[in-house]
């Protein structure tokens, strides 16, 4: 519906004598109809950025524009939040208690816009139909399930046809089983309405399922911006790598173009790393465990490991293994089947997916696809 | 005629009886509502408690209600200023606290001066209500400001994003949540206004304007103490607070309980 433009956007908070730079000179444009995801550790400015866009925080410096209309300027709010037509779904959904039913909650923004009773009723029933809330319209928020509460919050946000939809950790209070359907719903609605959306989450799954583009905020600055898959595959630093998904970060010695992690050997291209230390990043889903040595296309065998424990989460087995010669190193591998602890198996990796970071935890050669000699 | 004379005689008898203090350690030997009747209708220069009671009810209910409503709104205003204009909020709450904790006696002369210059000294709706507001509006605001932080900030923000202005936010979102606190404060302020002796004593000194606590004082002391009549006046005066507390006491407690995580699970 609208393009969001941030220019040198800055927000400092005073905490006693310290100044916390929650958002630090961010300049970025979110194009019309795009879903933009924001990842980042907690306390690094994700939510503050969202609140600045909503107009709930006054920027210390910098500007916010919706299309070409200025919304916030240094030290002042140009357009008050109630006039911005921005919808926000809060982490705890912020449903109005205790006297308002689901119907009243959804109707609230329309009532505030002084719409006629007939029109309000029509629009509330339409959105309730779409989000499967028709049966609970007359219930109070405390009487309905978490999923229904989340959909009520979403319905209340959408019913007023907002220019921008802001989602602040919208799924973190939902059961894991409900999250995927909630994500799919948000994704579908966002695409159908071509709604400019910003979603903040610490869970990369939210970003991958909804966002067309994503940024990682660290210390109030975008540390990396790109499409979610690029951030997942070529994270600029080890911190971004952990934020964008599960990853095993293993410190390795580099001797004669081979990275050594205890008894595991990863052959590298000649002259790739001049240093004798590196951090190897291996995602659990980009490895395989085999009981017998075997050649599998796209994988290379890097050595033998011992299984410590097998666990089961969300449809996959997660197996913790250690190199045979060093019990203190833990590597998590995703597997189709459980393997009994104590057993020795072969660890295979996808050479084109391996991430190598230098001592300063920065990614080395992000542009190179083949850094391993296959 | 006969009846009048008989009645007249009976009053004389009572006056004679009441000429000296009744012995306190000698409990009455038989049940009698005589003292209540005497206090209620009055005699001679003694004003009966009937009209002061009606007057008291007529003014206490609206004054308490208006103070708490306006006080809540004032508290909300200053509470909302806390983030953007902290000095407004600080100055506001300082004035409110000062007005609450200042002893009423220190304001005797200024209050009489002010009401006189406004032409409302010795008036019921003007002077008395005005004086009550001066004391109880800040107290209500202070008490309500304790309950306001119970309302989670995100609800207020969510309402603002939904296009609500302060008036709608207050009545639709905040008021239902602070209702226990509101009732609690209302009951408290009602009782405070009811038992306020000093304000009506200096503002409404004309016998035709006597408020209940002032009128009740007529029956205490003078030259002699009639314990049965003094205590009857005390009972009559405290009837309404007793009824209020008996029937609304649970709201009072509920309001206090709301302070400890009343907004939990909303």
């Amino acid at each position: 519906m609208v393009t969001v433009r941030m220019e040198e956007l800055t927000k400092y908070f005073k905490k006693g004598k310290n100044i916390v730079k929650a958002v630090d000179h961010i300049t970025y444009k979110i194009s019309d109809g795009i879903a933009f995801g924001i990842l980042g550790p907690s306390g690094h400015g994700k939510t503050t950025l969202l609140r600045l866009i909503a107009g709930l925080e006054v920027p210390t410096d910098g500007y916010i524009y919706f299309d070409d209309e200025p919304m916030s300027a240094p030290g002042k709010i140009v357009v008050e939040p109630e006039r911005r037509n921005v919808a926000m779904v809060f982490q705890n959904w912020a449903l109005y208690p205790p006297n308002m039913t689901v119907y009243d909650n959804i109707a609230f923004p329309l009532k505030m816009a002084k719409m006629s009773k007939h029109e309000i009723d029509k629009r509330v029933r339409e959105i309730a139909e779409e989000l499967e809330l028709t049966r609970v319209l007359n219930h109070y928020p405390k009487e309905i399930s978490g999923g229904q509460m989340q959909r009520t919050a979403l319905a209340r946000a959408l019913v007023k046809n907002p220019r921008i939809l802001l989602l602040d950790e919208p799924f973190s209070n939902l059961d894991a089983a409900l999250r995927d359907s909630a994500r799919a719903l948000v994704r579908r609605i966002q695409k159908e309405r071509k709604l400019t959306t910003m979603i903040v989450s610490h869970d990369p799954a939210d970003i991958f399922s909804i966002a067309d583009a994503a940024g990682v905020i660290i210390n109030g600055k975008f540390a990396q911006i790109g499409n979610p898959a690029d951030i997942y595959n070529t994270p600029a630093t080890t911190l971004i790598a952990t934020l964008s998904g599960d990853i095993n970060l293993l410190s390795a010695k580099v001797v004669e173009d081979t990275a050594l992690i205890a008894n595991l050997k990863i052959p590298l291209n000649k002259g790739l790393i001049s240093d004798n230390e590196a951090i190897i990043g291996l995602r659990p889903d980009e490895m395989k465990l085999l009981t017998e040595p075997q050649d599998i296309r796209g994988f290379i065998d890097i050595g033998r490991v011992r299984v410590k424990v097998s666990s089961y989460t969300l449809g996959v087995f997660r197996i913790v293994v250690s190199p045979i010669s060093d019990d203190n190193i833990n590597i998590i591998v995703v597997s189709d089947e459980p393997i009994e602890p104590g057993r020795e198996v072969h660890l295979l990796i996808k050479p084109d997916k391996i991430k190598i970071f230098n001592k300063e935890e920065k990614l080395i050669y992000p542009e190179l696809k083949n850094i391993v000699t296959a | 005629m006969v009846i009048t004379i008989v009645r007249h005689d009976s009053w004389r008898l009572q006056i004679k009886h009441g000429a000296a203090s009744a012995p306190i350690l000698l409990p009455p030997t038989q049940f009698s509502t005589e003292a209540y009747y005497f206090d209620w209708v009055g005699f001679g220069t003694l004003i009966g408690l009937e009209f002061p009671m009606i007057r008291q009810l007529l003014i206490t209910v609206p004054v308490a209600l208006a103070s708490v409503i306006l006080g809540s709104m004032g508290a909300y205003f200053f509470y909302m200023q806390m983030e953007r204009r902290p000095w407004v909020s600080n100055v506001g709450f300082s004035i409110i606290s000062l007005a609450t904790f200042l002893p009423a006696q220190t304001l005797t002369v200024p209050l009489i001066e002010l009401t006189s210059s406004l032409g409302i000294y010795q008036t019921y709706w003007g002077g008395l209500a005005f004086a009550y507001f001066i004391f109880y509006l800040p107290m209500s605001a202070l008490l309500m400001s304790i309950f306001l932080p119970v309302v989670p900030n995100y609800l207020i923000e969510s309402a603002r994003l939904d296009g609500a202005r302060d008036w709608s936010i207050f009545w639709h979102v905040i008021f239902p949540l602070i209702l226990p606190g509101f009732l609690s404060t209302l009951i408290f302020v009602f009782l405070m206004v009811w038992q306020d002796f000093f304000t009506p004593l200096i503002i409404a000194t004309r016998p035709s304007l006597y408020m209940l606590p002032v009128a009740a004082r007529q029956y205490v002391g003078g030259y002699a103490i009639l314990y049965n009549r003094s205590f009857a006046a005390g009972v009559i005066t405290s009837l309404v607070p007793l009824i209020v507390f008996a029937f609304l006491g649970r709201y009072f407690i509920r309001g206090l309980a709301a302070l400890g995580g009343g907004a939990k699970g909303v």
Side-chain angles (χ1 to χ4, degrees):
Chain A
M1 308 285 270
V2 75
T3 301
V4 180
R5 198 147 54 82
M6 296 162 254
E7 270 179 21
E8 295 290 319
L9 192 60
T10 303
K11 176 75 190 179
Y12 293 167
F13 288 109
K14 270 196 200 124
K15 274 197 179 149
K17 281 182 185 166
N18 299 334
I19 287 179
V20 179
K21 297 179 177 179
V23 173
D24 195 7
H25 295 95
I26 285 185
T27 300
Y28 190 68
K29 193 174 115 182
I30 298 166
S31 311
D32 188 4
I34 289 285
F36 186 75
I38 300 168
L39 270 171
S42 52
H44 279 239
K46 291 180 306 221
T47 301
T48 307
L49 182 63
L50 215 58
R51 290 168 59 83
L52 280 164
I53 306 275
L56 297 171
E57 299 282 356
V58 185
T60 312
D61 199 6
Y63 296 86
I64 299 169
Y65 298 94
F66 289 180
D67 288 336
D68 287 319
E69 196 189 338
M71 289 287 139
S72 298
K76 82 172 195 246
I77 301 281
V78 180
V79 178
E80 290 291 327
E82 53 265 42
R83 304 220 169 276
R84 288 194 182 188
N85 197 11
V86 164
M88 187 154 167
V89 176
F90 289 75
Q91 182 171 7
N92 44 20
W93 312 315
L95 297 181
Y96 304 128
N99 56 323
M100 288 200 211
T101 59
V102 170
Y103 183 98
D104 295 333
N105 262 282
I106 302 174
F108 187 75
L110 304 179
K111 227 190 256 171
M112 291 302 118
K114 305 231 161 28
M115 222 171 252
S116 75
K117 273 228 163 69
H118 179 73
E119 179 71 15
I120 291 178
D121 192 64
K122 197 180 130 224
R123 287 176 69 169
V124 171
R125 286 186 194 286
E126 263 174 30
I127 194 88
E129 185 79 31
E130 190 179 351
L131 298 187
E132 294 168 25
L133 289 165
T134 312
R135 277 187 311 116
V136 294
L137 274 180
N138 292 323
H139 288 55
Y140 288 96
K142 61 181 172 210
E143 300 166 351
I144 59 179
S145 71
Q148 287 165 335
M149 276 164 130
Q150 200 260 349
R151 292 205 299 276
T152 306
L154 194 60
R156 188 180 67 190
L158 294 170
V159 75
K160 60 179 177 179
N161 287 327
R163 295 199 283 181
I164 301 168
L165 178 63
L166 304 175
L167 305 163
D168 186 3
E169 307 255 3
F171 311 119
S172 60
N173 278 8
L174 285 181
D175 289 343
L178 276 173
R179 273 186 212 164
D180 278 324
S181 61
R183 285 175 189 140
L185 180 71
V186 171
R187 171 81 182 168
R188 177 170 62 82
I189 284 169
Q190 190 270 330
K191 286 285 160 254
E192 272 173 14
R193 303 184 181 214
K194 297 189 170 49
L195 194 56
T196 310
T197 301
M198 286 175 80
I199 172 165
V200 156
S201 183
H202 68 275
D203 186 349
D206 293 346
I207 308 294
F208 291 131
S209 55
I210 292 169
D212 305 304
V216 182
I217 287 192
I218 292 166
N219 285 328
K221 286 190 162 109
F222 277 124
Q224 191 173 1
I225 296 184
N227 78 46
D230 283 349
I231 294 178
Y232 186 76
N233 288 325
T234 52
T237 65
T238 50
L239 181 56
I240 297 173
T242 27
L243 289 170
S244 56
D246 271 351
I247 192 161
N248 298 296
L249 292 168
L250 309 163
S251 24
K253 284 202 181 75
V254 182
V255 182
E256 292 171 352
D257 294 320
T258 304
L260 300 171
I261 306 157
N263 65 316
L264 304 177
K265 285 183 190 142
I266 304 174
L268 305 172
N269 275 335
K270 256 196 168 44
L272 194 71
I273 299 168
S274 47
D275 213 348
N276 55 3
E277 275 177 58
I279 298 167
I280 306 286
L282 296 164
R283 297 214 186 263
D285 55 326
E286 293 160 0
M287 292 185 277
K288 229 185 206 333
L289 294 173
L290 286 180
T291 42
E292 297 300 324
Q294 192 182 339
D295 265 350
I296 297 187
R297 230 181 121 81
F299 283 91
I300 55 165
D301 191 339
I302 60 167
R304 298 211 304 162
V305 289
R306 183 177 285 120
V307 175
K308 268 186 169 170
V309 71
S310 296
S311 65
Y312 182 78
T313 26
L314 296 174
V316 287
F317 291 95
R318 290 162 63 86
I319 308 208
V320 181
V321 297
S322 295
I324 288 187
S325 62
D326 189 343
D327 212 26
N328 294 320
I329 300 172
N330 289 334
I331 306 171
I332 298 167
V333 185
V334 162
S335 165
D336 302 332
E337 52 198 24
I339 304 172
E340 66 265 33
R343 188 146 176 203
E344 284 182 15
V345 288
H346 289 260
L347 180 64
L348 282 75
I349 62 165
K350 277 186 185 168
D352 55 337
K353 294 285 186 184
I354 185 171
K355 294 145 194 71
I356 301 183
F357 302 90
N358 63 14
K359 268 190 302 189
E360 286 77 41
E361 308 193 333
K362 297 232 161 54
L363 189 66
I364 302 174
Y365 303 114
E367 71 282 1
L368 276 182
K369 282 284 173 212
N370 298 314
I371 46 182
V372 174
T373 46
Chain B
M1 276 296 276
V2 175
I3 295 170
T4 327
I5 292 162
V6 171
R7 251 199 170 173
H8 189 246
D9 269 352
S10 77
W11 286 125
R12 274 181 61 188
L13 207 69
Q14 280 169 2
I15 299 286
K16 204 176 150 196
H17 265 288
S21 297
I24 192 168
L25 291 176
L26 207 67
T29 48
Q30 62 193 54
F31 177 78
S32 159
T33 52
E34 176 273 329
Y36 289 101
Y37 182 75
F38 184 88
D39 287 359
W40 187 250
V41 297
F43 180 76
T45 54
L46 289 179
I47 309 284
L49 295 182
E50 182 184 1
F51 288 106
M53 170 77 102
I54 295 169
R55 240 175 263 141
Q56 188 81 27
L57 274 172
L58 277 181
I59 203 163
T60 311
V61 175
V63 160
L65 206 59
S67 315
V68 183
I69 291 177
L70 291 174
S72 315
M73 290 163 95
Y76 169 67
F77 172 77
F78 290 120
Y79 180 64
M80 290 311 284
Q81 298 301 323
M82 209 119 84
E83 220 158 281
R84 284 204 196 169
R85 282 182 288 268
W87 64 272
V88 174
S89 162
N90 290 341
V91 169
F93 279 121
S94 305
I95 292 174
I96 287 173
S97 321
L98 199 68
T100 308
F101 297 125
L102 207 65
Q105 287 77 359
T106 56
L107 294 178
T108 312
V109 176
L111 196 59
I112 293 173
E113 286 272 309
L114 185 62
T115 45
S116 304
S117 63
L118 289 171
I120 52 174
Y121 182 59
Q122 297 283 23
T123 57
Y124 180 70
W125 284 115
L128 202 54
F130 176 76
Y132 279 141
F133 275 127
I134 283 187
F135 292 118
Y136 297 107
L137 190 63
M139 181 189 279
S140 312
L142 192 71
L143 287 173
M144 288 315 292
S145 70
I146 301 170
F147 290 101
L148 271 177
V150 169
V151 180
N153 221 6
Y154 57 79
L155 278 182
I156 299 172
E157 287 172 345
S158 175
R160 286 194 79 191
L161 290 174
D162 281 345
R165 313 287 304 191
D166 282 329
W167 181 263
S168 312
I169 294 178
F170 182 80
W171 287 110
H172 286 104
V173 179
I174 293 181
F175 192 74
L177 280 172
I178 58 169
L179 190 64
F182 179 87
L183 287 175
S184 182
T185 308
L186 181 64
I187 293 164
F188 184 71
V189 170
F190 177 86
L191 297 177
M192 291 299 280
V193 176
W194 188 272
Q195 52 128 36
D196 186 346
F197 174 70
F198 192 72
T199 312
L201 184 72
I202 59 170
I203 296 292
T205 53
R206 216 176 275 158
S208 63
L209 286 176
Y210 270 5
M211 299 301 285
L212 197 55
V214 180
R217 206 201 154 275
Q218 303 171 101
Y219 296 93
V220 183
Y223 297 105
I225 300 168
L226 295 172
Y227 287 107
N228 54 343
R229 286 179 195 160
S230 304
F231 280 98
V235 170
I236 292 173
T237 319
S238 46
L239 265 183
V240 172
L242 267 174
I243 293 169
V244 165
F245 210 84
F247 286 95
L248 304 177
R250 59 200 167 107
Y251 293 104
F252 188 74
I253 304 297
R254 209 175 284 171
L256 295 182
L259 278 179
K264 210 176 159 191
V266 293

